[in-house]
Amino acid sequence: MDAQAVAFAIVAVVALVSGVGVVTTRNVAHAALFLLVSLASVAGVFILLVAEFLALVQVLIYGGAVTIVLLFALMLTRAEEFSNVRSNPQWAVAAVAALGVFGAMGAVILNDRLDTQELRGPSLQELGGELFTNWVVPFEIASLVLLMALIGAIILARASDSDEPGSGG
Amino acid sequence: MELYHVELLSAALFALGVYGVLARRNAIMILMAVELMLNAVTINAVAYAAFLDPGRLVGQVITVFVITVAAAEVGLAMAIILRLYRVRATANVDEADTMRG
């Protein structure tokens, strides 16, 4: 086993163990921290796949923004129920369904190995050039999507007088 | 590290996300499981880009857009969950049944 395989095994195990933590822990704050670990390991996978820019973006967006938003929302709600959430009664059915999904995908992956080339990633310059030439319109639309999400989140989360239970907001 | 190793990791993360979405009742937990599934998809996109067609950048560009949309989604979803919590005093999706037929 070369160093790359060892590193991949480590980040894969960390990602999977913390992923199991996300879906099994009963405390929402713990789940958010497990999610942070899992997403950081995915950034490690990106580095091994020669996608350094995406690894950086992954750490900045998920570690710096998404997890923080989740934790902030938890602090703002101050809910006792969040420290001890229960799963559905039909969690066993859900486990069977998830195992079925994994089994089907795993069977396809192992049955139909694709011909791979030598591992190589684009340079940051190439990626930036591609984004701002061939993909410039989707790129600008993405910024509009973010702006719309920002405005929508402010409007939705703004406190108003009609928030008594039963008024329907 | 072969391509199918990465594919298996992605499939396992996606299955964990499926389990989380189906088994959880708390809306924030479901949101986190959705994030796990999105990450599984981006791992696949980057792996295919790096292993199968290194000359083209579509895999990485698509991943940038997926991360953008995921960030927008989390912001909106948290706003909706906070609103739901304020109106119904719960983030339990079973109890948000106003639109039940």
Side-chain angles (χ1 to χ4, degrees):
Chain A
M1 273 210 331
D2 55 349
Q4 193 193 30
V6 174
F8 177 75
I10 293 172
V11 288
V13 167
V14 173
L16 287 177
V17 169
S18 49
V20 170
V22 171
V23 295
T24 53
T25 180
R26 297 168 75 90
N27 188 319
V28 180
H30 293 176
L33 295 174
F34 273 126
L35 183 71
L36 177 59
V37 175
S38 187
L39 299 175
S41 329
V42 172
V45 175
F46 285 167
I47 288 181
L48 290 172
L49 292 171
V50 215
E52 317 88 17
F53 175 68
L54 287 178
L56 258 176
V57 168
Q58 174 90 1
V59 170
L60 281 176
I61 306 281
Y62 279 110
V66 168
T67 320
I68 299 299
V69 167
L70 285 169
L71 290 172
F72 254 97
L74 286 179
M75 284 188 263
L76 287 175
T77 47
R78 195 180 29 158
E80 289 77 21
E81 68 172 12
F82 286 169
S83 58
N84 187 18
V85 296
R86 288 163 301 142
S87 284
N88 259 335
Q90 63 266 47
W91 63 270
V93 184
V96 171
L99 278 179
V101 168
F102 179 65
M105 288 197 287
V108 172
I109 290 165
L110 293 178
N111 264 329
D112 192 11
R113 304 267 182 86
L114 298 162
D115 298 327
T116 58
Q117 303 178 14
E118 197 186 344
L119 190 58
R120 191 175 76 79
S123 72
L124 190 50
Q125 271 177 334
E126 284 177 293
L127 184 61
E130 180 85 2
L131 261 181
F132 283 99
T133 52
N134 293 336
W135 291 84
V136 67
V137 175
F139 188 81
E140 296 300 335
I141 293 176
S143 57
L144 268 183
V145 167
L146 280 177
L147 180 67
M148 289 301 154
L150 192 66
I151 297 172
I154 292 172
I155 291 176
L156 276 171
R158 195 185 49 187
S160 67
D161 300 333
S162 56
D163 273 347
E164 275 76 45
S167 70
Chain B
M1 183 173 70
E2 299 293 328
L3 174 59
Y4 73 95
H5 295 148
V6 188
E7 284 181 301
L8 284 177
L9 169 66
S10 162
L13 275 181
F14 192 88
L16 279 175
V18 168
Y19 172 77
V21 167
L22 291 178
R24 293 299 204 172
R25 301 168 77 200
N26 187 294
I28 300 179
M29 294 290 211
I30 293 176
L31 183 63
M32 289 190 226
V34 170
E35 293 300 320
L36 275 185
M37 291 203 280
L38 281 172
N39 261 274
V41 173
T42 57
I43 290 177
N44 249 353
V46 176
Y48 285 136
F51 272 109
L52 297 180
D53 203 355
R56 294 177 65 199
L57 306 160
V58 182
Q60 296 214 8
V61 173
I62 291 289
T63 303
V64 170
F65 288 131
V66 170
I67 292 177
T68 311
V69 171
E73 172 224 328
V74 166
L76 272 181
M78 285 322 292
I80 293 173
I81 291 169
L82 280 180
R83 189 64 179 246
L84 171 72
Y85 186 80
R86 225 183 279 140
V87 174
R88 307 294 295 257
T90 178
N92 215 329
V93 289
D94 294 356
E95 291 165 42
D97 53 0
T98 313
M99 289 177 73
R100 189 179 215 156

